[in-house]
């Protein structure tokens, strides 16, 4: 039986090649993803180790609870740094302070991502004459005074800056002009990942990111012969409260894991592509082995007649699947290495990861082979069982026993039960609120499986609906419809491959379009302000920005939004400070009771309805608040409004909260202009703020587009997933049509003999392919719309402006894409059918 199985593998090369391609694609993406992520992990880990090569122990804040009145634990003092430098076994001690610093390129645009543009201190020792071993200068000298900076070499190369250039930058709002005195090299993992690092002199960095004489970290280098563990033990004896000592190795591991975590979404997306490709590939593999079994009906029956048992026949088919899976797994592994190398080169050119070799873990090879073999063998198991059930008497003829009516009834009952259970769960989940995610996911899975099981039943009425159109093609159209429903199981399996991809992409397109519409409506309904101004990385903004805006002749009203922590009734809450005299000109809140009247005095608040209900407040209710500096005051409720994602919580005049803040900073500034929102007005405001690279000036359209951009990035990734599903689905339709042509060889010969020309035969096969593909497309789009609506009902609970939006245009494109799949997939089978020799076909047994 082993020789028989191997012989059959080589006897059906074309069929098995398509199956191998389906498996290969899925395995290639799995192995490529694993190779790429292993390479990234290794590169960043080694880079982090280099970056902390001169750090054996770090003294840092431990992240514990801050004392009352402070947002964070106390920074480390100069005294702690001096004591650390005097430790036995410590060769040197370096004070570190860092924070956000936005750098402008020569065109005035922000360099890099706002979240990875950092500033830090160049620590040259207490006398100012030493050197900081963390940042060796490649060119020029280290910054020694205010107005001077050093720039990392990678950023200098990207921007074209050189020593002596003056750059524009910002830390918390106002624009600073700094002169580049040096360009340094660093193995800092954030810089290797595409970030930017700017160094200031020690005193300037402390003023910008902490307070004079304070540090956020102290790094110790051990003397030769002193281990990191030993030095850490000695450092723990001088730790101030709320500080901890950690080894350099732990720091390197933490940074490496942090960067890997930030890129985990890419890994998840790539693995999702692979999973969908493998899932769709199962249908193709099952179809292929069904076809091979049908071609070998007489052969398998003869084997049974001469003594082969059912288990031997099943084993024969599974051995074929094992060989195909192993070969496809090896080929997919090789292709995956190529994909990993390509992604590595692409990301390397973008400058978002450090240099490093391509890493192929033994586990990657094992997983790739296991995936290829397991998927193929599982998909071939049912055809193998069917092959074993062929009775020996079938050797007397050429007809394979068709599926019984009883088996289809059982299948339809199971499918109906699964679909009904799934639909009920999904509908129930739409009204369950916060705990609905798990039931919704379970229901969606059951419904998708149920529809797949029911597709043979659904194929007849849906394909019959196309009959009026197919009649336009005369005999070819009629035959195409009959052929499409001749073997409903095979037609259903083929259509399901396309259905899965279209269900996912249609559902997410519906959700994305609806969320985008909701955001647009929210911005329009809740804001009268023409512009919002914030930091590029959405960190606190300097109050100076609001003052600069107020000086502009174009601006008629402004209000900073200022967060303040407070205690109300023993619970920690956050107040949002506003300009009480202008806030009604800048917002359009839906008040259910009361209003803004009286808020400008600093003694009254407005609050969203959810918090008011939780606290039992009504207009006129008074309550005591304890500010972060410990001061207490009484406030009363002036109005209650419906909150949303943009504006919610407690709003109070800044007069009430600003005196109690340790450091005054704004999260956002709202501005209204006399000429409204326009490109010219936006340029005027940006110029008023010094064309600051760190500050974002956005109108309502910009806010909506920023959210739309994030949504579109996700959708584009999913469209890539759809493309993968389409490629695999094309192979599936080709397989089904090839099998159909094989089974109907004698019939096609008879049609040719009685007058159907080659063009008519081609048209018949193409129309059959088109009908099957559109069947899968209609099912996928229908399910996608249903899932999109159901998920939207959950989103609507937290997004009041959410309404269902059906993307008719895109759904039309998806349906056209399904039709294109049918046309392309039919090219080879139609050509093959038209070339059949009619006499030879008629004589075929």
């Amino acid at each position: 039986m082993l020789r028989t199985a191997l012989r059959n593998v080589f006897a059906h090369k074309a069929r098995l090649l398509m199956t191998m391609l389906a498996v290969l694609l899925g395995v290639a993406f799995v192995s490529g993803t694993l190779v790429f992520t292993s390479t990234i992990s290794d590169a960043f880990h080694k880079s982090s180790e280099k970056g902390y090569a001169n750090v054996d122990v770090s003294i840092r804040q431990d992240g514990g609870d801050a004392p009352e009145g402070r947002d964070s634990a106390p920074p480390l003092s100069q005294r702690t740094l001096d004591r650390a430098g005097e430790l036995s076994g410590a060769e040197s001690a370096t004070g570190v302070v860092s924070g956000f610093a936005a750098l402008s390129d020569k065109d005035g645009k922000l360099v890099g991502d706002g979240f990875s543009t950092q500033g830090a201190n160049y620590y040259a020792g207490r006398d100012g004459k030493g050197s900081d071993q963390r940042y060796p200068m490649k060119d020029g000298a280290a910054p020694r005074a205010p107005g001077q900076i050093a720039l990392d070499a990678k950023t200098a190369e990207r921007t074209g800056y050189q020593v002596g250039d003056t750059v524009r930058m910002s830390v918390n709002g106002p624009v600073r002009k700094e002169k580049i005195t040096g360009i340094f090299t660093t193995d800092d993992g954030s810089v290797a990942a595409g970030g930017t690092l700017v160094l200031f002199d020690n005193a300037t960095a402390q003023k910008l990111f902490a307070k004079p004489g304070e540090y956020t970290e102290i790094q110790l280098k051990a003397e030769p012969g002193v281990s990191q563990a030993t030095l850490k033990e000695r450092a723990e004896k001088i730790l101030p409260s709320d500080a901890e000592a950690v080894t350099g190795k732990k720091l390197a591991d933490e940074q490496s894991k942090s960067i890997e975590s930030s890129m985990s979404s890419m890994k998840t997306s790539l693995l999702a592509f692979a999973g969908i490709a493998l899932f769709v590939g199962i249908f193709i593999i099952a179809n292929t082995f069904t076809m091979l079994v049908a071609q070998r009906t007489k052969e398998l029956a003869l084997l049974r007649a001469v003594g082969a048992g059912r288990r031997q026949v099943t084993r024969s088919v599974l051995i074929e699947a094992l060989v195909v899976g192993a070969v496809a797994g090896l080929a997919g592994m090789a292709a995956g290495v190529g994909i990993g190398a390509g992604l590595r080169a692409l990301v390397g050119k973008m400058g978002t990861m450090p240099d490093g070799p391509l890493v192929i873990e033994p586990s990657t090879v094992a997983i790739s082979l296991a995936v290829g073999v397991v998927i193929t063998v599982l998909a071939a198991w049912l055809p193998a069982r069917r092959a074993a059930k062929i009775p020996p008497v079938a050797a007397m003829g050429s007809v394979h026993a068709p599926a019984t009516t009883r088996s289809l009834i059982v299948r339809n009952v199971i499918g109906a039960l699964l679909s009904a259970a799934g639909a009920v769960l999904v509908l129930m989940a739409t009204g369950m609120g916060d705990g609905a995610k798990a039931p919704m996911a379970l229901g969606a899975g059951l419904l998708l499986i149920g529809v797949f099981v029911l597709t043979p039943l659904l194929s007849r009425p849906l394909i019959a609906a196309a009959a009026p159109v197919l009649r336009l093609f005369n005999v070819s159209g009629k035959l195409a419809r009959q052929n499409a429903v001749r073997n409903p199981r095979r037609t259903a399996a083929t259509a399901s491959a396309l259905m899965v991809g279209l269900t996912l992409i249609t559902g997410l397109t519906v959700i994305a379009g609806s969320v985008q519409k909701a955001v647009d409506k929210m911005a329009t309904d809740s804001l009268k302000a023409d512009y919002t101004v914030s930091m590029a990385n959405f960190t606190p903004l300097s109050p100076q920005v609001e003052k600069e805006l107020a000086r502009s002749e174009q601006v008629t009203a402004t209000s900073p939004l200022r967060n303040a922590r407070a205690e109300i009734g023993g619970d920690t809450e956050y107040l949002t400070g506003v300009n009480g005299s202008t806030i009604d000109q800048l917002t359009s809140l839906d008040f259910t009771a009361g209003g803004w009247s009286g808020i400008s005095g600093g003694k009254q608040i407005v609050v969203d309805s959810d918090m008011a209900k939780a606290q039992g407040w009504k207009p006129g209710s008074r309550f005591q608040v304890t500010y972060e500096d410990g001061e207490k005051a009484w406030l009363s409720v002036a109005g209650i409004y419906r909150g949303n994602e943009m504006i919610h919580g407690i709003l109070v005049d800044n007069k009430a909260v600003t005196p109690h803040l340790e450091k005054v900073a704004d999260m956002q500034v709202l501005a209204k202009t006399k000429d409204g929102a326009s490109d010219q007005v936006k340029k005027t405001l940006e110029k008023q703020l010094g064309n600051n690279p760190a500050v974002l000036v956005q109108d309502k359209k910009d806010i909506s587009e920023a959210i739309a951009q994030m949504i579109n990035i996700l959708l584009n990734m999913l469209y890539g997933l759809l493309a993968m599903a389409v490629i695999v689905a094309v192979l599936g339709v080709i397989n089904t049509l090839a099998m159909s042509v094989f089974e109907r060889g004698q019939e096609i010969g008879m049609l040719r003999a009685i007058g159907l020309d080659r063009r008519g035969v081609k048209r018949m096969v193409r129309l059959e392919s088109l009908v099957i593909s559109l069947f899968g497309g209609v099912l996928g789009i229908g399910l996608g719309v249903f899932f999109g609506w159901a998920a939207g009902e959950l989103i609507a609970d937290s997004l009041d402006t959410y309404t269902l939006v059906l993307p008719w245009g895109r759904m039309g494109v998806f349906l056209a894409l399904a039709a294109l799949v049918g046309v392309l997939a039919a090219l080879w089978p139609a050509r093959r059918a038209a070339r059949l020799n009619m006499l030879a076909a008629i004589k075929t047994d």
Side-chain angles (χ1 to χ4, degrees), residues 147-412:
Q148 299 179 354
I149 63 166
L151 189 62
D152 73 87
K154 287 194 173 184
T155 300
E157 183 179 350
R158 277 187 290 158
T159 57
Y161 283 135
Q162 299 177 353
V163 172
D165 289 346
T166 298
V167 300
R168 299 172 66 260
M169 63 178 302
S170 176
V171 172
N172 64 348
V175 175
R176 306 172 59 91
K177 291 186 177 180
E178 311 280 356
K179 183 177 181 181
I180 299 177
T181 61
I183 293 175
F184 62 93
T185 59
T186 178
D187 289 309
D188 185 284
S190 297
V191 174
T196 294
L197 182 60
V198 176
L199 298 182
F200 300 89
D201 68 281
N202 194 63
T204 300
Q206 288 179 326
K207 290 177 183 177
L208 293 174
F209 305 126
K211 290 182 179 179
E214 292 184 343
Y215 300 93
T216 55
E217 184 184 1
I218 295 173
Q219 295 179 350
L220 301 177
K221 181 172 176 58
E223 293 177 346
V226 178
S227 68
Q228 290 187 353
T230 300
L231 187 58
K232 173 180 177 291
E233 187 177 329
R234 294 172 183 173
E236 287 173 342
K237 298 177 182 178
I238 64 164
L239 292 179
S241 61
D242 299 311
E244 65 175 347
V246 295
T247 62
K249 184 179 184 305
K250 184 178 179 181
L251 288 174
D253 291 341
E254 286 177 355
Q255 187 183 66
S256 177
K257 288 178 182 178
S258 174
I259 296 171
E260 285 179 48
S261 176
S262 67
M263 302 187 77
S264 63
S265 59
M266 179 186 295
K267 179 179 180 180
T268 302
S269 301
L270 290 172
L271 286 174
F273 294 169
I276 293 294
L278 286 170
F279 183 67
V280 175
I282 289 175
F283 301 122
I284 299 174
I285 300 165
N287 268 357
T288 299
F289 279 95
T290 299
M291 179 168 53
L292 293 177
V293 168
Q295 286 179 324
R296 293 159 47 205
T297 297
K298 291 181 65 176
E299 175 189 329
L300 294 174
L302 284 170
L303 287 174
R304 292 289 313 284
V306 298
R310 287 190 175 187
R311 289 186 179 181
Q312 287 178 302
V313 173
T314 302
R315 197 179 304 126
S316 171
V317 178
L318 291 180
I319 288 172
E320 291 182 47
L322 182 66
V323 172
V324 170
V327 173
L330 287 171
M333 175 64 212
V337 172
I339 291 173
L343 289 172
R344 167 68 183 83
L346 178 63
V347 175
K349 285 183 179 180
M350 293 167 61
T352 55
M353 71 173 285
D355 296 330
L358 197 67
V359 178
I360 305 172
E361 300 282 355
S363 59
T364 300
V365 178
I367 290 172
S368 301
L369 288 174
V371 166
V373 171
V374 171
I375 291 294
T376 309
V377 171
L378 285 178
W381 181 67
L382 279 177
R385 285 192 66 214
R386 291 196 195 106
K389 290 181 179 180
I390 298 173
V393 74
M396 303 298 294
S398 58
V399 180
H400 181 81
T404 63
T405 303
R406 180 177 176 276
S407 67
L408 287 175
I409 291 174
V410 171
R411 175 172 179 152
N412 292 337

Side-chain angles (χ1 to χ4, degrees), residues 538-831:
F538 302 103
T539 53
L541 186 71
S542 169
Q544 186 65 30
V545 171
E546 192 264 340
K547 294 177 182 177
E548 287 293 332
L549 285 172
R551 292 193 188 103
S552 173
E553 296 180 357
Q554 183 63 235
V555 176
T556 59
T558 63
S559 174
L561 302 185
R562 192 168 292 166
N563 277 1
R565 191 181 64 185
E567 281 192 11
I568 300 174
D571 296 326
T572 299
E573 303 287 353
Y574 282 87
L575 312 179
T576 300
V578 299
N579 187 337
S581 61
T582 61
I583 190 64
D584 61 331
Q585 304 173 46
L586 300 166
T587 61
S588 180
L589 300 184
D590 182 10
F591 280 92
T592 58
W596 291 112
S597 179
I599 192 175
S600 60
K603 299 295 185 181
Q604 292 184 297
I605 66 157
V606 298
V607 60
D608 69 60
S609 53
D610 290 340
M611 180 169 285
K613 183 178 180 181
Q615 297 285 354
W617 291 339
K618 297 178 180 179
S621 298
R622 296 181 76 244
F623 60 92
Q624 189 177 55
V625 59
T626 303
Y627 293 107
E628 63 181 55
D629 63 354
E631 293 289 326
K632 298 182 178 180
W634 284 90
L635 298 173
S636 63
V637 178
I640 298 173
Y641 66 94
R642 289 190 176 92
N644 56 51
E645 291 297 313
M646 297 191 72
I647 301 177
H648 56 87
I650 300 173
L651 307 183
V652 62
D653 195 285
N654 278 316
K655 294 174 187 175
V657 298
T658 301
H660 305 288
L661 296 176
E662 181 182 0
K663 185 176 181 180
V664 179
D666 302 327
M667 293 308 298
Q668 198 176 55
V669 177
L670 304 180
K672 192 170 183 62
T673 57
K674 61 183 180 182
D675 293 336
S678 69
D679 291 341
Q680 186 58 46
V681 172
K682 184 177 180 179
K683 289 179 181 178
T684 301
L685 296 184
E686 288 175 338
K687 185 176 181 180
Q688 181 73 27
L689 296 174
N691 292 320
N692 194 323
V695 175
L696 285 178
V697 179
Q698 297 178 301
D699 60 18
K700 296 174 187 177
K701 182 180 177 182
D702 293 329
I703 295 172
S704 179
E705 287 179 350
I707 296 173
Q709 185 176 13
M710 292 187 288
I711 294 173
N712 285 334
I713 290 172
L714 173 64
L715 279 181
N716 288 335
M717 293 171 64
L718 291 167
Y719 289 152
L721 183 153
L722 174 62
M724 175 60 58
V726 166
I727 291 172
V728 179
V730 168
L731 297 175
V733 178
I734 292 173
N735 260 353
T736 297
L737 292 176
M739 182 175 185
S740 181
V741 169
F742 164 76
E743 287 182 344
R744 303 196 323 261
Q746 193 174 51
E747 175 189 315
I748 292 172
M750 288 294 294
L751 290 171
R752 289 290 317 283
I754 61 176
L756 188 65
D757 59 11
R758 289 188 174 182
R759 183 176 296 179
V761 172
K762 285 184 179 180
R763 189 183 300 121
M764 176 185 70
V765 176
R766 288 170 183 164
L767 288 173
E768 179 185 348
S769 175
L770 187 62
V771 167
I772 292 173
S773 296
L774 287 176
F775 169 53
V778 169
L779 279 180
I781 292 172
L783 280 173
V785 169
F786 177 72
F787 290 146
W789 165 81
E793 291 297 301
L794 297 185
I795 296 173
D797 291 339
S798 57
L799 191 59
D800 292 337
T801 54
Y802 184 92
T803 54
L804 181 67
V805 176
L806 295 180
W808 294 107
R810 292 199 179 188
M811 288 194 295
V813 171
F814 297 155
L815 198 59
L817 182 62
L820 180 62
V821 167
V823 172
L824 294 177
L827 292 177
W828 177 68
R831 183 180 178 86

